[in-house]
Amino acid sequence: MNYQQTLDYLYSKLPMFTRVGASAFKKDLTNTIIFCEALDNPQQKFKTIHVAGTNGKGSTSHMLAAILQAQGYKTGLYTSPHLKDFRERIRINGKMIRKNEVISFVKNQEKLIDEVEPSFFEVTVAMAFDHFAKHQVDVAIIEVGLGGRLDSTNIIQPELSVITNISMDHTNMLGNTLEEIAGEKAGIIKKNTPVVIGEKQAKSAPVFIAKAKEMNAPILFADAILTAQNFKIRNAKLSLAVYQDDQIKYENLICDLTGTYQHKNILTVLQSIALLNTTTKFQVSNDSIYAGLKQVKKLTGLQGRWQTLSKNPLVICDTGHNEAGIAEVIKNIAQTPFEKLHIVFGMVKDKDISKVLSMMPKNATYYFCKPDLERALDANELKNQAKAFKLYGKSYPSVVDAKVNAMNSAKENDLIFIGGSTFVVAEAI
């Protein structure tokens, strides 16, 4: 099999959450444990940092990887889903796993795949662990796919657990309340292993504190220790100052991820690095923090976070796709100067569509579209639901069609925003 045939085999053979939704979510770790045991437990051969959360876990994972790379550590990074190429999920020092490595892994494990019948995600996690072990990384940042407690990544014993925040998402699998969702995310908290929580939220904090106590895990809330001030966006960079106990700790930090929500993730990352410095053998200098944050995209290949695709007209995309993520997107739109607003928009069926639509700007022309996957909501259906919220526009057969029509309609000083779903962004960039 060549690379494309290998991917076709994985996509067609294995249940894949991004395509079909809940039916691909395996509610225990059995398959992952069996698969990794057959590979001689590669996940035990390198140090890890485990990152969960409803929003921000991708950005946080990439920032941590960038800083550790800047310090000179050989750094693995496992994230999901991918936007353009499957290999984005598995990187070392920003470089994607090679095509021939994907091919040989699948070829060598074909018999095991037939026997275990794992999900797509379970195979991908095992592939990442195997890759990081073979290449002897110093540390790997492992982003949770979904939830935490039952996520395939949750067979690692990390140096540090990180949970960014909690909001309503994937309620059909993780629970219908913030407390239930927090309980699933808290499943990554391990015995005697420190945990950083990004945001102290009234409903989720008691869940995390109770779990940390049960596991004898030291727990810190980043936003209770650090505060961010003096935000500015200049030359496509975010600058801010970070204080601890009214004392400046980081002056003029610059980050190439410019979404206004990134300051929350930056505080989570800074507190995580501080904890690594005091509780593990990893030592990270302030110089590496500054250098890493300044070039996250270059060092790690991150895309899709308040990303400018072109100018005149300004075209920006963002992968925010649930209630909390869309709220942050809307804040960013409000802070961006434009004459007219055009929104290329698509969603998947298992999101709280009406809640998201109720939040979207009414002063925009909409270009409704359907990303190319089974879970996607039909563009006409989305258009009809949007009408009830006074959101008006036309529907288009594909994301590319919608984007082209928006580009043709927009004038030089207009803003085109593309989003609603990670998969809309993937097809637009």
Side-chain angles (χ1 to χ4, degrees), residues 345 353 357 366 368 381-392:
F345 199 71
I353 292 157
L357 291 175
Y366 283 82
F368 299 106
E381 197 179 320
L382 180 58
K383 182 181 86 166
N384 292 334
Q385 288 196 41
K387 272 184 199 164
F389 298 93
K390 298 187 169 60
L391 309 176
Y392 301 108

Side-chain angles (χ1 to χ4, degrees), residues 152-176:
S152 304
T153 61
N154 202 28
I155 64 166
I156 58 176
Q157 292 295 323
E159 302 295 293
L160 174 69
S161 303
V162 181
I163 303 172
T164 56
N165 57 40
I166 301 298
S167 63
M168 300 302 280
D169 200 10
H170 300 300
T171 51
N172 56 332
M173 286 165 286
L174 301 181
N176 291 308

Side-chain angles (χ1 to χ4, degrees), residues 13-296:
K13 173 97 180 162
L14 309 175
M16 187 179 177
F17 175 76
T18 52
R19 288 169 184 260
V20 300
S23 62
F25 182 53
K26 299 293 178 78
K27 294 214 166 191
D28 64 49
L29 302 175
T30 310
N31 283 353
T32 310
I33 291 165
I34 292 168
F35 210 100
C36 286
E37 278 178 352
L39 296 169
D40 194 26
N41 286 317
Q43 76 280 4
Q44 295 172 5
K45 297 174 183 174
F46 51 89
K47 306 282 191 195
T48 56
I49 298 169
H50 207 185
V51 184
T54 305
N55 293 302
K57 64 182 184 288
S59 295
T60 298
S61 297
H62 284 79
M63 287 183 201
L64 283 168
I67 290 168
L68 287 161
Q69 277 172 240
Q71 183 64 37
Y73 290 112
K74 189 173 187 180
T75 307
L77 177 61
Y78 175 75
T79 57
S80 62
H82 61 272
L83 292 178
K84 286 293 188 191
D85 187 333
F86 167 82
R87 298 179 302 134
E88 294 166 30
R89 294 168 180 254
I90 304 169
R91 297 177 186 265
I92 296 174
N93 285 356
K95 290 192 170 57
M96 295 190 289
I97 184 172
R98 294 199 308 268
K99 288 180 180 179
N100 65 346
E101 290 176 297
V102 175
I103 295 164
S104 64
F105 180 86
V106 173
K107 184 183 171 191
N108 293 339
Q109 306 311 326
E110 205 170 335
K111 187 167 176 282
L112 188 60
I113 289 168
D114 285 339
E115 283 171 11
V116 177
E117 296 185 338
S119 70
F120 175 87
F121 191 79
E122 287 165 340
V123 169
T124 309
V125 167
M127 186 188 300
F129 292 162
D130 186 65
H131 184 65
F132 298 151
K134 278 184 176 154
H135 288 271
Q136 299 180 321
V137 298
D138 297 315
V139 62
I141 315 299
I142 307 294
E143 182 197 9
V144 166
L146 183 68
R149 182 174 65 93
L150 300 174
D151 188 76
S152 304
T153 61
N154 202 28
I155 64 166
I156 58 176
Q157 292 295 323
E159 302 295 293
L160 174 69
S161 303
V162 181
I163 303 172
T164 56
N165 57 40
I166 301 298
S167 63
M168 300 302 280
D169 200 10
H170 300 300
T171 51
N172 56 332
M173 286 165 286
L174 301 181
N176 291 308
T177 66
L178 290 174
E179 291 90 341
E180 284 177 326
I181 294 170
E184 290 299 317
K185 310 277 184 196
I188 73 162
I189 299 174
K190 302 292 191 306
K191 276 190 178 165
N192 308 317
T193 302
V195 56
V196 172
I197 312 293
E199 295 177 52
K200 191 166 192 175
Q201 298 163 285
K203 289 187 175 177
S204 60
V207 179
F208 294 137
I209 290 165
K211 183 67 175 179
K213 189 177 178 185
E214 180 196 329
M215 301 306 250
N216 195 36
I219 182 170
L220 294 172
F221 291 86
D223 64 354
I225 298 167
L226 303 174
T227 55
Q229 296 178 26
N230 309 334
F231 309 113
K232 293 187 192 75
I233 293 175
R234 285 197 202 126
N235 304 322
K237 295 271 199 302
L238 170 70
S239 71
L240 68 160
V242 175
Y243 288 77
Q244 182 173 347
D245 302 326
D246 297 326
Q247 299 289 313
I248 192 148
K249 196 166 169 68
Y250 299 97
E251 197 168 6
N252 197 30
L253 263 183
I254 293 172
C255 184
D256 62 348
L257 306 179
T258 56
T260 53
Y261 51 83
Q262 292 295 0
H263 74 273
K264 298 176 185 178
N265 298 326
I266 289 169
L267 296 186
T268 307
V269 166
L270 293 175
Q271 192 54 55
S272 299
I273 294 293
L275 212 48
L276 277 184
N277 276 341
T278 55
T279 62
T280 72
K281 290 179 180 173
F282 291 99
Q283 291 301 305
V284 179
S285 68
N286 280 1
D287 285 350
S288 297
I289 290 170
Y290 278 88
L293 289 177
K294 200 170 188 175
Q295 45 185 346
V296 178

Side-chain angles (χ1 to χ4, degrees), residues 369-387:
C369 56
K370 175 181 183 279
D372 184 21
L373 71 158
E374 290 166 53
R375 279 171 67 214
L377 183 65
D378 178 77
N380 274 320
E381 197 179 320
L382 180 58
K383 182 181 86 166
N384 292 334
Q385 288 196 41
K387 272 184 199 164

Side-chain angles (χ1 to χ4, degrees), residues 59 62 82-84 88 91 233 236-238 255-262 296-298 300-320 325 328-329 332-333 336 342 344 403 407 415-422 424-429:
S59 295
H62 284 79
H82 61 272
L83 292 178
K84 286 293 188 191
E88 294 166 30
R91 297 177 186 265
I233 293 175
K237 295 271 199 302
L238 170 70
C255 184
D256 62 348
L257 306 179
T258 56
T260 53
Y261 51 83
Q262 292 295 0
V296 178
K297 290 190 277 194
K298 183 182 174 187
T300 68
L302 179 63
Q303 296 190 86
R305 301 329 191 263
W306 199 249
Q307 181 179 347
T308 299
L309 300 181
S310 58
K311 294 178 179 174
N312 307 320
L314 182 60
V315 181
I316 292 176
C317 68
D318 193 278
T319 54
E328 296 294 349
V329 161
N332 279 277
I333 289 174
T336 305
H342 307 259
V344 175
K403 181 185 173 186
M407 297 284 286
L415 168 63
I416 299 171
F417 173 75
I418 301 173
S421 163
T422 301
V424 170
V425 171
E427 290 176 35
I429 60 178

